[in-house]
């Protein structure tokens, strides 16, 4: 736990906002929700609703191997059971292919995409590990020698260039290497895209869309103004804001990355933690007790939160 974090209680706003507020919960339906997912859902709900805003539900089911409609159905049933009602129609990423194609076309027209045909082994060799957390960053070898890609036209991954961009054109404001934003919980952030991410994938070899690209497009085009989610995604904000800037799309004005709930032994909760999965939780607790428990963990006023959820 980072000592500089602001208390989560700040997410329960004291007055409605005069500006339009649209928050969202964007789960991946790859298993039954667990307590950690409920926590993220609740805090994003509380933030949007305590400002009189809307709360959207987006099912992130682009990973067709791991996502299942059945999990999405149960997830919606769990939100219903908790009393967390979303506004408007559910957004299903799997149904937005035409939109993603259009946005990809726009990036291609800007000349900032390139095919990468590096194999897994080549990628391992072409990526520099970063000391901080061991993630790897692609060194851009297919950008530097595009002939390799043309020689191997089949099965190419598409990557988005991070700065420096190819020519002296006036690139949109915000399409910069250094991405800065304020996070309400984690404080001011400054990330250097080329160092933290390198040229990142927007479409995979098998045609699947990449998470960063879809989230950036969806948040912008569904008018999301605030992103409240787990702090495992803090770093992802930089590539997402970069994609939005390149496409000239609106960017959320507020971010709050919340600490993940951990299992008793300090591990990150996963969908395999049966005792904290919704099946078990629904058998053992009333929805109001569960919400009140999560409010205690995060220092939120449970009565106010329950009232927001119509309880
Ligand atoms: N779908 C992602 C997840 O379930 C969250 C995406 C987001 O909130 O931006 O971890």
């Amino acid at each position: 736990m980072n000592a500089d974090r602001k208390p989560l209680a700040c997410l329960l706003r004291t007055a409605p906002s005069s500006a339009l507020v649209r928050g969202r919960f964007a789960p991946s339906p790859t298993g039954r929700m667990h307590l950690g997912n409920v926590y993220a859902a609740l805090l994003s709900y509380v933030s949007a609703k305590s400002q009189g805003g809307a709360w959207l539900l987006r099912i992130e089911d682009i990973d067709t191997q791991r996502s299942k409609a059945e999990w999405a159905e149960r997830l919606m049933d769990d939100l219903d059971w908790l009393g967390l009602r979303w506004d408007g129609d559910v957004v299903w990423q799997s149904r937005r292919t035409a939109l993603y194609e259009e946005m990809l076309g726009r990036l291609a027209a800007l000349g900032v995409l390139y095919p990468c045909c590096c194999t897994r082994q080549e990628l391992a060799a072409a990526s520099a590990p970063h000391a901080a957390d061991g993630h790897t960053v692609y060194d851009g070898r297919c950008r530097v020698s595009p002939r390799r890609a043309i020689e191997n036209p089949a099965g190419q991954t598409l990557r988005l260039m991070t700065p420096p961009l190819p020519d002296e054109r006036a690139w949109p404001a915000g399409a910069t290497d250094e991405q800065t934003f304020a996070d309400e919980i984690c404080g001011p952030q400054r990330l250097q895209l080329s160092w933290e991410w390198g040229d990142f994938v927007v479409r995979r070899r098998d045609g699947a869309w990449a998470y960063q690209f879809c989230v950036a497009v969806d948040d912008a085009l569904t008018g999301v103004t605030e992103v409240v989610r787990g702090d495992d995604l803090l770093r992802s904000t930089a590539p997402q804001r970069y994609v939005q800037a390149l496409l000239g799309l609106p960017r959320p004005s507020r971010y709050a990355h919340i600490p993940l709930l951990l299992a008793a032994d300090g591990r990150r909760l996963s969908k395999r933690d049966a005792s904290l999965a919704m099946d078990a939780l629904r058998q053992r607790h009333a929805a109001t007790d569960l919400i009140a428990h999560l409010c205690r963990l995060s220092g939120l006023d449970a009565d106010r939160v329950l009232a927001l959820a119509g309880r």
Side-chain angles (χ1 to χ4, degrees):
M1 172 80 156
N2 181 336
D4 299 333
R5 281 216 178 97
K6 300 221 175 42
L8 294 173
C10 69
L11 296 175
L12 180 57
R13 323 282 174 177
T14 46
S17 165
S18 52
L20 180 78
V21 171
R22 280 163 82 81
R24 51 47 151 207
F25 177 49
S28 307
T30 54
R32 196 77 199 271
M33 282 222 287
H34 57 60
L35 195 63
N37 307 126
V38 176
Y39 193 55
L42 180 68
L43 291 175
S44 62
Y45 178 92
V46 161
S47 177
K49 290 292 168 179
S50 60
Q51 295 170 85
W55 186 64
L56 316 181
L57 176 62
R58 180 169 76 230
I59 303 289
E60 302 213 317
D61 56 350
I62 36 165
D63 181 344
T64 48
Q65 307 279 310
R66 295 174 62 226
S67 303
K68 286 205 170 65
E70 183 203 327
W71 293 127
E73 293 301 330
R74 300 186 73 178
L75 197 146
M76 291 189 279
D77 185 62
D78 288 336
L79 292 177
D80 239 11
W81 177 81
L82 288 159
L84 305 182
R85 302 265 143 70
W86 57 91
D87 296 292
D89 293 335
V90 177
V91 174
W92 298 81
Q93 286 191 327
S94 58
R95 301 178 191 169
R96 291 166 74 78
T97 300
L99 191 76
Y100 300 144
E101 295 279 7
E102 185 191 330
M103 294 298 140
L104 191 78
R106 284 217 227 157
L107 290 177
L110 288 173
V112 290
L113 294 182
Y114 66 91
C116 169
C117 60
C118 287
T119 61
R120 223 180 269 271
Q121 290 90 325
E122 282 173 316
L123 278 181
S127 304
H130 279 209
D133 60 3
H135 75 277
T136 54
V137 172
Y138 181 59
D139 72 0
R141 63 181 60 185
C142 284
R143 171 173 171 175
V144 180
S145 343
R147 266 191 31 245
R148 290 179 74 244
I150 294 162
E151 284 160 10
N152 299 285
Q156 288 168 2
T157 297
L158 281 181
R159 288 186 184 272
L160 176 60
M161 294 176 184
T162 51
L165 294 175
D167 55 33
E168 296 301 313
R169 203 157 357 140
W171 293 98
T176 47
D177 196 22
E178 185 172 270
Q179 292 289 318
T180 53
F181 61 95
D183 189 274
E184 294 211 352
I185 306 298
C186 304
Q189 303 295 314
R190 182 184 298 264
L191 289 123
Q192 197 188 337
L193 269 178
S194 55
W195 165 252
E196 290 270 339
W197 286 92
D199 297 347
F200 57 92
V201 173
V202 289
R203 194 168 199 177
R204 291 182 213 293
R205 197 177 300 260
D206 60 2
W209 300 101
Y211 160 75
Q212 306 296 356
F213 173 69
C214 296
V215 169
V217 167
D218 289 339
D219 278 344
L221 295 185
T222 58
V224 164
T225 63
E226 62 171 42
V227 172
V228 178
R229 60 184 173 191
D231 64 4
D232 54 329
L233 294 170
L234 181 63
R235 278 180 61 245
S236 291
T237 307
Q240 291 169 13
R241 286 178 65 78
Y242 178 65
V243 168
Q244 288 158 344
L246 272 177
L247 289 169
L249 298 175
R251 308 200 279 185
S253 50
R254 179 179 254 163
Y255 293 88
H257 286 87
I258 59 173
L260 298 176
L261 279 190
L262 300 177
D265 59 3
R267 267 180 316 109
R268 190 174 158 175
L269 282 186
S270 88
K271 285 173 176 149
R272 286 184 296 276
D273 284 296
S275 66
L276 297 175
M278 280 309 271
D279 282 323
L281 294 172
R282 283 176 68 160
Q283 271 166 27
R284 290 202 311 265
H285 307 283
T288 47
D289 292 342
L290 199 58
I291 291 178
H293 174 68
L294 291 173
C295 288
R296 272 194 301 280
L297 285 181
S298 46
L300 298 179
D301 175 340
D303 291 337
R304 274 195 64 209
V305 169
L306 287 166
L308 283 176
R311 299 282 180 165

